[in-house]
Amino acid sequence: MASSLTDEEKIAVFRAMVAGWQDKDWRKCADLLAPDGKLQSMMKEPTVGREAIYQRLVSITSPNKQVILHVHRVGVVGGAVVSERTDEIIINGVSRSAPVVGVMEFEGPYISHWKEYYDRAQLLHAQRKSE
């Protein structure tokens, strides 16, 4: 099923995801995905299903950790939202960052597949340096 959303509406969904992520509103984030949606960090197996994605987001949360998504560019290419951003990871007040490219594919009004491309070693290094 193709998406019924306009390009502007897809970008609005992306921005809602960014806002939910920064507020740690994992329910809001998960509800933007299709019931059988996928979240995939490209170095790992995808998490499949809205509720499984919700549980994954909850599991990576800690009170001393915050992630701020600094969006540099966002647009729609071939029907998918493509974003370039820097994820700032703050743990115990120490900030580190990693560059990320994200791709969100849509089915109907929902994200069907959210793919994240980044250097996993750099991201893990940033997280360890902050702890």
Side-chain angles (χ1 to χ4, degrees), residues 9-34 38-39 50 53-54 57 67-69 71 81 83 85 102-106 109-116:
E9 290 169 327
K10 290 175 183 177
I11 290 171
V13 170
F14 165 78
R15 294 201 185 284
M17 180 65 78
V18 169
W21 190 272
Q22 294 185 168
D23 292 340
K24 296 184 181 181
D25 186 345
W26 307 129
R27 181 80 268 156
K28 176 181 177 179
C29 292
D31 287 347
L32 294 171
L33 286 122
K38 294 180 196 172
L39 170 58
R50 181 184 288 158
I53 292 166
Y54 172 74
L57 294 174
V67 178
I68 301 172
L69 309 180
V71 178
V81 171
S83 63
R85 62 180 205 265
V103 178
M104 291 180 172
E105 298 173 1
F106 288 80
Y110 298 106
I111 300 164
S112 59
H113 198 171
W114 175 13
K115 299 177 269 191
E116 298 279 289

